[in-house]
């Protein structure tokens, strides 16, 4: 893998200083855990009945599942914030990128990757060197293995994938809604979930439509919900086995 690095001015000076001085705390780093891959990874595990069972029994069906437990631990009764303060920051906090990082991968050269760091002019050279070394190591792990976050967990703060955190969140939202409906209203149709969440605007029924038009839209909406539920279940199941993110 060919790697190029560039360093330009600017950057998150307060964050850089905190990390450089060893003063990064769970409270100080907490804002960085929301809205990204770490949050949805945590959520997948919370939704996994198998992962919860693994934690309760201490029995793991695969090495991947055992490795995931070492990273996340028991989180059944914890919120993301509580987990971050109790365990998450210890295992993932040092992985927060010191500088604003931009990764550019050439489209026609999949083996080439450019790493651009935005660093303040006053940034110590040794800190830049440590950051570059860390990023290169993580990129090599990602490209040399599966390319998934679970193959290089420390890259969570800079990780990019075709399966975005937003897409994962939607899949999990629909999965949770589906499970709630099936638990409380076993006979409820899938299209009702889709209409309540407005998952497919083109499949929303309207006043004045014929019964056939409504039935066709119900079928289409049901397919939309079914596909999102399938992906959500895949994400949860794979995450429990130490594979993330994969449908």
């Amino acid at each position: 893998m060919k790697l190029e690095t560039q360093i330009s001015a600017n950057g998150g000076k307060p964050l850089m200083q905190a990390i450089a001085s060893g003063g990064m705390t769970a409270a100080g780093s907490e804002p960085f855990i929301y809205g990204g891959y770490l949050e949805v990874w945590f959520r997948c595990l919370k939704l996994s009945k198998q992962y919860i069972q693994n934690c309760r029994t201490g029995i793991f069906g695969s090495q991947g599942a055992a490795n995931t437990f070492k990273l996340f631990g028991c989180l059944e009764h914890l919120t993301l914030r509580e987990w971050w303060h109790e365990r998450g920051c210890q295992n993932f906090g040092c992985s927060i990128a010191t500088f604003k990082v931009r990764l550019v991968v050439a489209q026609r050269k999949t083996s080439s990757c450019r790493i651009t760091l935005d660093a303040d002019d006053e940034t110590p050279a040794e800190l830049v060197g440590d950051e570059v070394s860390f990023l290169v190591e993580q990129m090599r792990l990602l490209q040399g293995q599966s390319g998934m976050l679970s193959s290089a967990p420390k890259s969570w703060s800079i990780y990019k994938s075709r399966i975005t955190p937003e897409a994962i969140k939607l899949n999990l939202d629909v999965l949770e809604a589906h499970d709630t409906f099936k638990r409380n209203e076993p006979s409820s149709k899938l299209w009702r979930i889709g209409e309540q969440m407005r998952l497919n605007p083109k499949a929303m029924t309207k006043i004045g439509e014929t019964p056939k038009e409504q039935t066709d839209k119900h079928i289409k909406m049901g397919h939309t919900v079914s596909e999102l539920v399938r992906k959500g279940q895949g994400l949860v199941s794979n995450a429990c086995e130490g594979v993330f993110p994969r449908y």
Side-chain angles (χ1 to χ4, degrees):
M1 176 182 64
K2 179 182 177 183
L3 287 138
E4 303 173 10
T5 60
Q6 295 181 350
I7 302 173
S8 57
N10 304 318
K13 192 172 182 179
L15 176 61
M16 178 273 289
Q17 291 176 335
I19 297 178
S21 64
M24 176 57 69
T25 63
S29 58
E30 184 188 329
F32 297 95
I33 67 177
Y34 299 106
Y37 284 100
L38 188 60
E39 180 177 17
V40 290
W41 195 356
F42 173 90
R43 190 176 170 194
C44 282
L45 296 176
K46 285 276 287 186
L47 288 172
S48 172
K49 295 179 181 178
Q50 183 60 57
Y51 183 77
I52 298 303
Q53 182 66 15
N54 291 349
C55 294
R56 290 175 178 176
T57 63
I59 300 174
F60 306 95
S62 67
Q63 187 59 50
N67 291 342
T68 301
F69 176 75
K70 290 179 182 178
L71 281 173
F72 286 88
C74 296
L75 40 73
E76 181 178 2
H77 303 295
L78 299 177
T79 63
L80 178 61
R81 181 182 185 277
E82 291 169 338
W83 169 80
W84 182 253
H85 282 255
E86 289 188 17
R87 186 187 186 102
C89 185
Q90 179 181 347
N91 288 344
F92 291 93
C94 63
S95 306
I96 296 177
T98 308
F99 311 107
K100 182 179 179 182
V101 180
R102 287 179 284 138
L103 303 178
V104 181
V105 180
Q107 294 182 352
R108 296 184 180 181
K109 297 179 180 179
T110 56
S111 61
S112 176
C113 179
R114 176 180 297 164
I115 302 175
T116 301
L117 304 181
D118 287 345
D120 190 275
D121 290 338
E122 299 177 11
T123 302
E126 60 271 20
L127 188 59
V128 175
D130 290 343
E131 186 83 353
V132 170
S133 297
F134 170 77
L135 293 171
V136 169
E137 176 191 12
Q138 296 307 304
M139 293 306 297
R140 282 177 173 163
L141 283 173
L142 287 170
Q143 292 207 0
Q145 298 183 39
S146 63
M148 287 181 285
L149 183 55
S150 51
S151 66
K154 290 183 179 180
S155 67
W156 69 272
S157 64
I158 59 170
Y159 182 75
K160 303 292 181 183
S161 170
R162 287 179 295 179
I163 306 176
T164 66
E166 294 74 22
I168 296 172
K169 181 181 182 301
L170 176 61
N171 295 144
L172 300 181
D173 286 346
V174 176
L175 176 61
E176 282 194 290
H178 170 268
D179 290 349
T180 299
F181 263 77
K182 289 302 180 183
R183 184 170 56 251
N184 298 332
E185 302 178 41
S187 61
S188 181
K189 303 296 183 182
L190 289 180
W191 62 265
R192 293 189 181 279
I193 300 173
E195 285 209 338
Q196 286 194 18
M197 299 182 72
R198 304 187 70 83
L199 295 176
N200 185 347
K202 294 182 179 180
M204 295 290 292
T205 56
K206 300 176 182 178
I207 297 176
E209 291 179 329
T210 67
K212 183 180 185 307
E213 289 174 329
Q214 291 187 346
T215 298
D216 289 343
K217 285 189 173 181
H218 288 166
I219 293 173
K220 183 180 294 186
M221 185 67 85
H223 288 163
T224 298
V225 174
S226 179
E227 178 63 12
L228 290 171
V229 168
R230 182 191 67 79
K231 288 183 176 180
Q233 290 172 335
L235 284 162
V236 169
S237 177
N238 285 323
C240 174
E241 291 302 311
V243 179
F244 180 85
R246 176 187 284 174
Y247 294 131

